[in-house]
Amino acid sequence: MADTFSLQRVLETFRSSLSEKKEVYMKYYIAGWQELVAFMNSLGNVFSFISKDVVSKIQILENFLLGENRSHYVTIQSMVKYELENDLVDLTKRGSHPESGCRTLLRLHRALRWLELFLERLRTSTEDSKTSVMCSDAYNESLAQHHPWLIRKAVGVAFCALPGRDTFFDVMNAGDHMQVVALLGESLPLIAEVYQITEDLYAKNTLLELP
Ligand code: 1Q0
C-alpha cells in the first residue's frame, strides 16, 4: 500500500475482490479497507477513533487469512460456510466466539453501505454541497441504526471536522473534478455489487444481526 491515497487503487482492489463465480476474495476486500483507512488518516486525528476500530477489525480478519485455517478464509463465502459448519460463530449473544470472522466482517460490510451512499452523494453533489451533511445523511440511513447513542454523538462531532468538497476531490488523487466524478461513477457499481453479494449471503444464512 502506498502512502498517498488514490481512488483508482480503491477501485482496483474492489474490482479484484470479485471472482468469476461472483465470490468475494477476503484478501482484496481487506486491501480495499486498508486504502480507506489511509484516506481517513490523512483527514486528521478527529477520525482516529474510527480508523482504530477499522484497523482492529482488519487485523482480526488478516489473522484468519494468514492463520492455520487460512484455506477456509479465501473468500467470504468459504469463511461463512466454514465458521457455521464448525460452530465458530456466536449467533444470538456474545459467548465463546466474540471475534468470529463473520461478525467482524459484518461490521465492515455495514460500513461499506455507508461508503456507497456517501460516495453517491459526493458524485452527484454541487459546489455548495456540504460534505458533513452528505456524510451524516448517509450515516443516518445506514450505520447509525447499528450504533448506540454515544457513538452516534461522537460520529456527529467528527463529521463537523470534515474538510470541504474541494479537498475531498483533491485527496482522491484522481485528477480534476470531472475525472473524479467519472471515476466515482465507475467505482460505485463495483462497491454496490460487492455489498449486495455479501448482503445476500448473510441474509441467506441469517447472519445480518450477529452480536
Ligand atoms: C471520511 C469520514 C469518515 C466517516 C465515517 C463514518 C462512519 C462512522 C462510524 C464510526 C464508528 C466508530 C466507532 C466504533 C464503533 C464500533 O462500536 C462499531 C461496532 O463494532 P463492535 O465491535 O463494537 O460491534 N464499529 C463499526 O461499526 C465499524 C465502523 C467502521 C467505520 C468505517 C468508516 C469508513 C470510512 C472510510 C473512509 C472514507 C473515505 C471516503 C472517501 C473515499 C473515497 C473512495
Side-chain angles (χ1 to χ4, degrees):
M1 186 175 53
D3 286 331
T4 46
F5 174 83
S6 106
L7 181 60
Q8 184 73 46
R9 270 205 311 276
V10 175
L11 172 64
E12 277 156 19
T13 47
F14 279 108
R15 185 174 282 141
S16 312
S17 76
L18 280 176
S19 80
E20 264 174 39
K21 285 181 358 205
K22 300 285 179 195
E23 298 195 326
V24 183
Y25 291 118
M26 293 278 278
K27 182 177 158 195
Y28 295 105
Y29 192 88
I30 291 174
W33 276 103
Q34 281 167 332
E35 293 291 341
L36 293 168
V37 167
F39 179 81
M40 233 185 322
N41 287 339
S42 73
L43 294 179
N45 287 337
V46 201
F47 301 96
S48 62
F49 79 103
I50 302 177
S51 70
K52 269 198 199 112
D53 184 66
V54 182
V55 168
S56 77
K57 289 183 167 52
I58 291 174
Q59 194 58 56
I60 293 170
L61 295 175
E62 241 180 358
N63 290 345
F64 286 126
L65 205 59
L66 301 171
E68 53 184 317
N69 296 314
R70 59 183 171 276
S71 62
H72 301 293
Y73 287 86
V74 174
T75 64
I76 298 183
Q77 285 74 6
S78 66
M79 171 189 78
V80 166
K81 183 168 185 288
Y82 169 71
E83 289 196 343
L84 287 180
E85 283 177 358
N86 292 280
D87 294 327
L88 296 171
V89 186
D90 290 342
L91 293 172
T92 47
K93 62 176 187 333
R94 299 193 82 174
S96 45
H97 304 289
E99 297 195 331
S100 66
C102 286
R103 71 87 61 191
T104 303
L105 191 123
L106 176 62
R107 272 57 188 175
L108 296 182
H109 168 68
R110 290 168 175 167
L112 195 63
R113 176 71 179 153
W114 166 80
L115 185 71
E116 183 191 337
L117 294 172
F118 170 63
L119 292 181
E120 178 56 18
R121 283 178 164 79
L122 196 61
R123 187 182 75 83
T124 53
S125 63
T126 55
E127 245 167 67
D128 48 7
S129 303
K130 283 202 170 348
T131 50
S132 56
V133 175
M134 294 187 262
C135 251
S136 60
D137 285 352
Y139 176 73
N140 291 333
E141 231 180 88
S142 57
L143 264 181
Q145 297 156 25
H146 304 285
H147 287 161
W149 182 85
L150 196 64
I151 290 188
R152 291 204 302 271
K153 279 284 152 203
V155 169
V157 171
F159 284 156
C160 297
L162 279 174
R165 181 174 172 270
D166 285 351
T167 310
F168 255 90
F169 278 1
D170 291 345
V171 178
M172 289 192 193
N173 276 316
D176 64 30
H177 282 197
M178 266 173 61
Q179 288 169 304
V180 173
V181 168
L183 197 55
L184 283 174
E186 219 183 300
S187 313
L188 275 159
L190 276 169
I191 293 177
E193 189 176 9
V194 171
Y195 176 84
Q196 200 54 50
I197 290 172
T198 313
E199 179 76 7
D200 293 345
L201 175 71
Y202 269 62
K204 198 174 86 193
N205 291 282
T206 353
L207 298 176
L208 285 169
E209 299 300 328
L210 289 182

